[in-house]
Every structure is written in structure tokens, then in C-alpha cells.
Amino acid sequence: MLSFVRRTSAKQLVVGSPGLRGFRFRGLVVGSTSRNVIEWAPCLVMVVLAARDVV
């Protein structure tokens, strides 16, 4: 994912987080994959949290 962002010079990356695990990262609770992407991506990263109890 990160190599694709670097190759294409993307301005923003959107990733999902199922919320199964919680790591506190800069005031947010995100999963391990999301946390790594936030830390290493050379662009803006938007983390979309999974909806809970949606009917």
C-alpha cells in the first residue's frame, strides 16, 4: 500500500479500521495496520472506523 502511494504521489490515503484492537496513537484508538500506515505514509491518512451495532 505504501509503495503504491509513493509511486503515484497520492495526496491522501483512506484506510479502514475494524476497531478489534486498540492502540492509542496521537490521541486516537486505531488498529495496528492503521497505526503503521499513519506513521509511515508520505501523505495525509484518513482512518475510517467501523460502525458498531448498525441496524
Side-chain angles (χ1 to χ4, degrees):
M1 186 179 341
L2 293 177
S3 61
F4 174 78
V5 169
R6 287 186 188 97
R7 278 196 323 270
T8 61
S9 300
K11 302 284 188 232
Q12 185 174 18
L13 180 62
V14 180
V15 295
S17 180
L20 299 177
R21 284 190 228 148
F23 290 99
R24 194 160 285 282
F25 182 80
R26 295 185 186 174
L28 301 171
V29 178
V30 295
S32 58
T33 301
S34 300
R35 185 189 64 167
N36 286 329
V37 171
I38 291 168
E39 191 163 338
W40 295 105
C43 61
L44 294 172
V45 178
M46 177 186 294
V47 179
V48 179
L49 299 177
R52 300 216 182 246
D53 302 323
V54 175
V55 178

